[in-house]
Amino acid sequence: MKKLLSLILALAMAASVAGCAAQPASGSASAPASAPSSAVSAPAAEKPTTDPSGAAVEIPDEIGSVVVLAPSIAETLTALGCGDLIVGYDLQSVGLAGLPADVPTFDLMQPDMEQLAALKPDVLFVCNMTLYDQSNPYQQLMDMGVCVLCVPNADSIAAIQEDIAFIAAAMGKTAEGDALIAEMQAELDRIAAIGATVTDKKSVYFEISAAPDLYSFGSGVFLNEMIELIGAENILADQEGWLAVDAETVVAANPDVILTNVNYIEDPVAEILGRSGWEGVNAVKNAQVFYIDNMASSLSNQNIVKALDQMAQAVYPDLYAAQ
């Protein structure tokens, strides 16, 4: 199976994994010689004392270097204007706008601890996908003075906004974080206001893994909230979390629209339209199958509004005219 598919499924299953191991407070560490000269600082009174995983943390007063091992967090950091502080990031983040091109990269699931130790960043951002057998894989780095901040994958839009606020506060960018959240909320409100006017709701199936290994989601996932915001109904909303799906279930539900963010096959829309046994499904019969940007719909950060706009225009083109 392709690497990006593995990443998406790992993101899905991460919701059932416990947060990062509890961390003792860690102090400031000096930046490596190659760290950027610009640094950020936050007033002590504004710095969080716990991270979103619930671990106690002591964030350095001044941050001159950062390693980030999660593409969703990397996008938030660059949106906050912290891209020049990043001295390393995960392989899935390669190519994201705002990240430096000539720094070390790491396997997201099993990063090279020796290489991380050599970088000795002031702050290491991770999510709950970086898993190890030991109870605290980062103890070596923390003993060196690296502040490890864990931001588990969010399962709701509200949690995404809380994570943005945390990352911004940790980096001394509270004002920028507030502005980012306000911009995101304005788009959410715009879409929701239109969605609230829908009386004849269309049914939607959102596919994140193609046949034969169909994968989707029910309630308790931010993508389900997004379907509801645009005024539609998820055919799997009566189930919870990320789901392996039987083709028969989708065919029996007969969705009006099918959305897909699958990007590891050449033409996912054509594959669904030509899928054997799906000829009678309304979405297929009426050619109502649409691709939604993979990164915007997969990563739990401010960019979900880009996917939300695409979803709205795909499902209700007459209501959500391109703006």
Side-chain angles (χ1 to χ4, degrees):
M1 191 173 293
K2 303 294 186 181
K3 180 188 292 185
L4 194 50
L5 172 60
S6 299
L7 171 63
I8 294 170
L9 297 186
L11 273 165
M13 291 182 287
S16 64
V17 178
C20 295
Q23 307 168 17
S26 58
S28 174
S30 59
S34 60
S37 57
S38 58
V40 295
S41 60
E46 295 181 8
K47 290 190 300 181
T49 56
T50 59
D51 69 21
S53 76
V57 295
E58 185 176 333
I59 300 171
D61 292 332
E62 187 172 272
I63 299 172
S65 61
V66 173
V67 170
V68 55
L69 300 181
S72 60
I73 303 173
E75 286 192 329
T76 297
L77 287 171
T78 58
L80 292 170
C82 299
D84 61 337
L85 301 177
I86 296 174
V87 297
Y89 50 85
D90 62 277
L91 288 167
Q92 276 70 36
S93 294
V94 172
L96 293 181
L99 290 179
D102 56 350
V103 300
T105 55
F106 298 86
D107 185 312
L108 187 150
M109 305 295 285
Q110 294 184 320
D112 186 325
M113 285 297 176
E114 291 186 3
Q115 190 176 25
L116 282 174
L119 285 176
K120 198 180 180 183
D122 293 325
V123 172
L124 168 64
F125 280 100
V126 300
C127 67
N128 53 334
M129 287 176 60
T130 308
L131 307 176
Y132 286 81
D133 292 334
Q134 63 266 41
S135 60
N136 190 350
Y138 308 109
Q139 190 62 55
Q140 172 191 356
L141 299 175
M142 293 161 55
D143 290 343
M144 295 173 56
V146 176
C147 176
V148 180
L149 302 178
C150 181
V151 183
N153 300 307
D155 56 9
S156 70
I157 294 174
I160 290 172
Q161 293 178 321
E162 290 170 2
D163 290 347
I164 294 169
F166 167 80
I167 295 167
M171 296 301 297
K173 296 281 189 175
T174 299
E176 291 86 344
D178 289 345
L180 196 61
I181 293 169
E183 182 180 358
M184 176 186 179
Q185 189 60 51
E187 184 65 2
L188 290 169
D189 291 343
R190 182 186 74 83
I191 296 290
I194 298 172
T197 68
V198 178
T199 54
D200 186 14
K201 296 181 182 292
K202 292 184 180 180
S203 58
V204 173
Y205 165 60
F206 196 124
E207 187 167 285
I208 62 174
S209 176
D213 303 306
L214 302 183
Y215 214 79
S216 188
F217 52 85
S219 59
V221 174
F222 66 86
L223 283 165
N224 184 71
E225 287 184 71
M226 292 162 67
I227 290 175
E228 293 177 345
L229 277 177
I230 68 174
E233 295 177 338
N234 179 7
I235 64 166
L236 301 172
D238 60 337
Q239 302 182 58
E240 183 77 18
W242 303 92
L243 306 166
V245 183
D246 291 329
E248 293 78 7
T249 299
V250 180
V251 172
N254 194 23
D256 298 310
V257 180
I258 295 177
L259 306 177
T260 176
N261 67 0
V262 171
N263 68 347
Y264 57 90
I265 61 178
E266 184 175 351
D267 191 341
V269 170
E271 189 276 325
I272 292 172
L273 288 172
R275 195 172 287 173
S276 177
W278 290 41
E279 299 87 352
V281 174
N282 282 339
V284 173
K285 187 167 50 179
N286 299 319
Q288 294 298 293
V289 181
F290 304 96
Y291 177 76
I292 304 300
D293 184 83
N294 178 272
M295 296 293 277
S297 59
S298 296
L299 304 182
S300 54
N301 62 29
Q302 68 281 352
N303 290 326
I304 63 167
V305 294
K306 298 178 183 178
L308 182 65
D309 187 60
Q310 292 179 8
M311 292 164 62
Q313 292 188 46
V315 178
Y316 297 113
D318 293 337
L319 288 178
Y320 298 97
Q323 297 183 8

